[in-house]
Amino acid sequence: MSVCLIRPKKLYQYLIFTSVTHSGAAFSASNLGTIRSGAIVAGTWTAMMKTGLSGYISKLKEIHKTTLYLREGVKQNPDLKLFGPNNSYNMVCFDTPGLNPISVSLKMKEQNHWKLSECQLPNVLHLLISESNYKMGDKFLKDIKEAIAEVRAKSNIKISSYQTLYGATTIVTDKAIQVQIFNIVIDCCFETTLKRAKMGMDA
């Protein structure tokens, strides 16, 4: 494990990595852009050793089968628009035309504990199919249909702080200002008191 201590604080701004054009989502990280935890590599290796090659291939086939099934289900839903080629083994990407996709995503999480990934450029959602959910294809299609109906029925849905921050990249078009906003947010995350965080925002 490595620990990097910085003083004075103004040098910290040069360590922060922020991307407002990443297709996954605008994001800011408190370290260099290419740093990844070694725990991810160790965990992957351990899982592969336990599963074995034959087990991996067996699970992959089931995951891909569900992926194709969900893609077809999304195509058949008039409230959804499918994105991406048909060669992804474990991902389904789609839009919710006429509705805020983040509202739909949050409703899916709130009601049914689905974790969808929000993307930008364009604003779409995607679901990763894995061993934890590949047997739940029918449930997902049912849940997404109900979530869309609820979001459409409640036009006065309260906007969350997450949506506010995420939507900032579509309202504020100046990339330099976007970077500043995200840098302030991540800086506040590491402040030890509310007073110090507000001082950082005022600055």
Side-chain angles (χ1 to χ4, degrees):
M1 177 182 289
S2 299
V3 177
C4 182
L5 301 178
I6 299 173
R7 181 182 289 177
K9 182 183 175 181
K10 64 181 180 180
L11 294 179
Y12 175 62
Q13 63 180 305
Y14 300 106
L15 184 64
I16 297 176
F17 176 82
T18 299
S19 174
V20 295
T21 57
H22 183 261
S23 61
F27 73 96
S28 189
S30 61
N31 50 45
L32 301 179
T34 56
I35 290 179
R36 294 292 182 270
S37 170
I40 298 175
V41 178
T44 301
W45 180 84
T46 303
M48 290 299 294
M49 291 299 99
K50 176 177 173 55
T51 304
L53 180 60
S54 60
Y56 173 77
I57 292 175
S58 175
K59 293 179 188 299
L60 182 61
K61 287 180 178 179
E62 291 299 320
I63 288 171
H64 187 50
K65 179 181 177 181
T66 301
T67 302
L68 295 177
Y69 178 76
L70 287 176
R71 286 180 62 87
E72 191 59 35
V74 169
K75 283 182 181 179
Q76 300 301 321
N77 190 327
D79 293 320
L80 300 175
K81 179 182 178 182
L82 185 67
F83 274 79
N86 197 29
N87 60 2
S88 173
Y89 265 86
N90 70 329
M91 185 175 73
V92 179
C93 183
F94 56 90
D95 186 17
T96 55
L99 293 175
N100 185 333
I102 301 179
S103 293
V104 175
S105 176
L106 293 176
K107 180 60 68 174
M108 286 286 282
K109 182 178 181 180
E110 172 192 321
Q111 289 191 165
N112 303 291
H113 309 290
W114 287 101
K115 177 63 178 75
L116 301 177
S117 298
E118 294 93 8
C119 304
Q120 63 171 2
L121 306 175
N123 295 326
V124 295
L125 304 174
H126 78 245
L127 172 70
L128 289 176
I129 295 87
S130 66
E131 185 181 6
S132 65
N133 62 16
Y134 75 82
K135 295 180 180 180
M136 302 171 67
D138 288 324
K139 176 172 172 50
F140 176 81
L141 294 175
K142 173 179 176 292
D143 290 345
I144 191 73
K145 184 177 181 179
E146 292 176 353
I148 288 174
E150 285 208 32
V151 172
R152 177 171 285 119
K154 298 179 181 179
S155 57
N156 60 339
I157 289 180
K158 183 179 179 181
I159 302 298
S160 68
S161 58
Y162 170 69
Q163 285 175 282
T164 302
L165 178 60
Y166 191 91
T169 58
T170 61
I171 298 174
V172 180
T173 57
D174 189 311
K175 302 301 181 184
I177 295 178
Q178 290 179 17
V179 171
Q180 290 179 18
I181 292 173
F182 277 86
N183 286 357
I184 289 172
V185 170
I186 198 166
D187 189 38
C188 290
C189 290
F190 287 92
E191 290 295 356
T192 55
T193 66
L194 180 60
K195 181 179 179 180
R196 288 172 62 89
K198 288 182 176 179
M199 289 172 59
M201 294 178 69
D202 292 338

